[in-house]
Amino acid sequence: MNFPSKLIEDAVNEISRLPGIGKKTALRLALHLLKQKETVTEELSSALLALRKDIRYCATCHNVADSGHLCSVCLSNRRNKQIICVVEDIPDVLAIENTNQYQGLYHVLGGVISPIQGIGPDELKIDSLIQRCAHTISEEKVTEVILALPATMEGDTTSFFISRKLKELNVKVSTIARGIPVGGELEYTDEVTLGRSILTRINYSSE
Amino acid sequence: MNFPSKLIEDAVNEISRLPGIGKKTALRLALHLLKQKETVTEELSSALLALRKDIRYCATCHNVADSGHLCSVCLSNRRNKQIICVVEDIPDVLAIENTNQYQGLYHVLGGVISPIQGIGPDELKIDSLIQRCAHTISEEKVTEVILALPATMEGDTTSFFISRKLKELNVKVSTIARGIPVGGELEYTDEVTLGRSILTRINYSSE
């Protein structure tokens, strides 16, 4: 693709470095910004810079924290501090928060174990999770760790690794249920999911 | 959607003002930037700001011009200055340039006549097109104006308006061919396009 202007070319190259945005979309976005008032671009730029420069991470759970030491979930008095939900990354915290079904704390690993991508347990925040569970002096005792990791081989490996590490700490370890989604038809569910949902069936009355 | 951080919320709001980007995609982009080095965000921001602040438009054809008075097409000695191709906007210039089939100059209208959106002829660069065609002192005489406007009602209205204005100037006015696309099957072509392509058929040998 040839560009009539170095400025447009630079902007398109930078925008198309974002995931899921190709050169054509980048050009469309750049030309859109050219048609808007200059303040639109200024506000976008400053929001991005502020996000990248001023963001802090919670010292306890590694979730985002606007300012200060701890995130809003860890600071809240309404949360049950005896339960920790382990997630892969920050969007998962958002997804679970939006269900309004969970009142415990979180622990953001920052990824899952993936030998192919060169991510081992040491790259993840697993040690600090073990410390949170073992540390019984200042905080309330952790009674349950919920593993809410992706249903992939990497997620399962990570879940297995963490559950082994937590074995000696006398903490209940659970994992989120896997089965057919709400509204899902059996006919269109893949065999593995359907097979697992039969094996891990639950009592009808207890639901 | 609830956000754990004001910084993320601000960034998501700004990013999702871009066309075709919703809150979910904006969040994904914001979190992607958080995972990258700080320089990535800085380079993106500065490229956008530079684009918006330093861009200039060609005084003759209203195409983008990096610096100075005229754009690279108008400055080039290799272009045929007797032909002007009229397009709606800058992406159309890029699209035609990428075909490598056109060696004339351009004229960017900045839109098409659209009463619904409140865009009349005065909002577009039609007057300067007429002046280019009428102005025979310094520049070479314009012999042909090619209308390459979208095949919509608005595009057709604009083409008609311009052709009427050019009538008294003794300039040949043509429009780009409309018909079935190269590689297109007749079976799947809509009736209007197919009907027009029969009515505006061309001699086989002359192609």
Side-chain angles (χ1 to χ4, degrees):
Chain A
M1 212 184 221
N2 295 314
F3 296 100
S5 145
K6 185 82 176 58
L7 289 166
I8 289 188
E9 189 172 353
D10 287 348
V12 165
N13 285 339
E14 286 300 326
I15 299 172
S16 61
R17 286 168 75 179
L18 293 170
I21 297 188
K23 297 259 171 186
K24 282 227 167 176
T25 309
L27 179 64
R28 196 163 53 86
L29 297 179
L31 293 169
H32 170 84
L33 286 177
L34 279 182
K35 286 214 155 190
Q36 305 296 305
K37 281 188 199 138
E38 203 164 314
T39 51
V40 173
T41 311
E42 283 166 2
E43 281 160 16
L44 174 63
S45 290
S46 61
L48 293 180
L49 282 176
L51 171 71
R52 189 63 190 79
K53 284 197 176 148
D54 301 339
I55 202 99
R56 296 288 171 270
Y57 294 94
C58 177
T60 304
C61 75
H62 314 293
N63 187 11
V64 284
D66 253 4
S67 53
H69 203 54
L70 299 174
C71 73
S72 54
V73 176
C74 288
L75 281 173
S76 169
N77 290 322
R78 294 192 190 171
R79 314 291 298 215
N80 179 351
K81 306 205 175 201
Q82 300 192 304
I83 307 179
I84 294 175
C85 179
V86 179
V87 293
E88 182 182 1
D89 225 329
I90 292 152
D92 305 327
V93 174
L94 288 175
I96 296 175
E97 281 298 284
N98 282 326
T99 66
N100 289 320
Q101 295 290 327
Y102 180 65
Q103 291 301 320
L105 302 182
Y106 290 97
H107 191 87
V108 180
L109 291 180
V112 283
I113 296 171
S114 169
I116 297 170
Q117 291 178 52
I119 302 171
D122 295 341
E123 270 78 40
L124 307 175
K125 309 285 187 190
I126 293 179
D127 279 347
S128 67
L129 172 67
I130 309 299
Q131 279 165 26
R132 282 178 80 183
C133 296
H135 193 72
T136 49
I137 309 159
S138 60
E139 281 187 86
E140 281 188 75
K141 191 171 157 49
V142 175
T143 55
E144 184 173 357
V145 168
I146 304 173
L147 299 169
L149 297 172
T152 59
M153 209 168 69
E154 288 81 9
D156 286 344
T157 308
T158 314
S159 293
F160 183 69
F161 185 87
I162 293 173
S163 68
R164 282 285 290 271
K165 284 261 182 185
L166 291 173
K167 216 166 198 180
E168 50 219 54
L169 288 175
N170 195 26
V171 176
K172 184 181 166 191
V173 179
S174 60
T175 179
I176 54 167
R178 284 157 193 185
I180 59 166
V182 175
E185 299 273 5
L186 259 65
E187 195 179 343
Y188 304 117
T189 309
D190 67 288
E191 296 88 352
V192 182
T193 303
L194 194 54
R196 268 178 90 155
S197 78
I198 292 169
L199 289 174
T200 58
R201 63 193 178 276
I202 46 174
N203 283 334
Y204 187 68
S205 56
S206 75
E207 199 186 21
Chain B
M1 213 183 223
N2 294 314
F3 296 99
S5 144
K6 184 82 176 57
L7 290 166
I8 289 187
E9 189 172 352
D10 287 349
V12 165
N13 285 340
E14 287 300 327
I15 299 171
S16 61
R17 287 168 75 178
L18 293 170
I21 296 188
K23 297 260 171 184
K24 284 226 168 180
T25 308
L27 179 63
R28 196 163 54 84
L29 297 179
L31 293 169
H32 169 83
L33 286 177
L34 278 182
K35 286 215 156 192
Q36 305 296 307
K37 283 191 198 134
E38 203 164 314
T39 50
V40 172
T41 311
E42 284 167 1
E43 282 161 17
L44 173 64
S45 291
S46 61
L48 294 180
L49 282 176
L51 171 72
R52 190 62 190 79
K53 283 196 175 149
D54 301 339
I55 202 101
R56 296 288 172 273
Y57 295 95
C58 177
T60 305
C61 75
H62 314 293
N63 187 10
V64 283
D66 253 4
S67 52
H69 202 55
L70 298 173
C71 73
S72 53
V73 176
C74 288
L75 281 173
S76 169
N77 290 322
R78 294 192 190 169
R79 315 290 300 213
N80 179 350
K81 306 204 176 202
Q82 300 192 307
I83 307 178
I84 293 176
C85 180
V86 178
V87 293
E88 182 183 3
D89 224 330
I90 293 154
D92 305 327
V93 174
L94 288 175
I96 295 175
E97 280 298 284
N98 282 325
T99 66
N100 290 319
Q101 297 289 328
Y102 180 64
Q103 291 302 320
L105 302 183
Y106 291 97
H107 192 88
V108 180
L109 291 180
V112 283
I113 296 170
S114 171
I116 297 169
Q117 290 176 53
I119 302 171
D122 295 340
E123 269 79 41
L124 307 175
K125 309 285 186 189
I126 293 179
D127 279 348
S128 66
L129 171 67
I130 309 300
Q131 279 165 27
R132 281 178 80 183
C133 297
H135 192 74
T136 49
I137 310 158
S138 60
E139 282 185 87
E140 283 188 73
K141 191 169 158 50
V142 175
T143 54
E144 182 173 359
V145 168
I146 304 173
L147 299 169
L149 296 172
T152 59
M153 209 167 70
E154 288 82 7
D156 286 343
T157 308
T158 314
S159 292
F160 182 71
F161 185 87
I162 292 173
S163 67
R164 283 285 291 273
K165 284 261 183 183
L166 291 173
K167 215 164 197 179
E168 52 219 54
L169 288 176
N170 194 27
V171 176
K172 184 182 167 191
V173 179
S174 60
T175 178
I176 54 168
R178 284 160 192 183
I180 60 166
V182 175
E185 299 273 5
L186 259 66
E187 194 180 345
Y188 303 118
T189 308
D190 66 287
E191 295 87 353
V192 182
T193 301
L194 194 55
R196 268 178 89 155
S197 76
I198 293 169
L199 288 175
T200 59
R201 63 192 175 278
I202 46 177
N203 285 333
Y204 187 70
S205 57
S206 76
E207 200 186 17

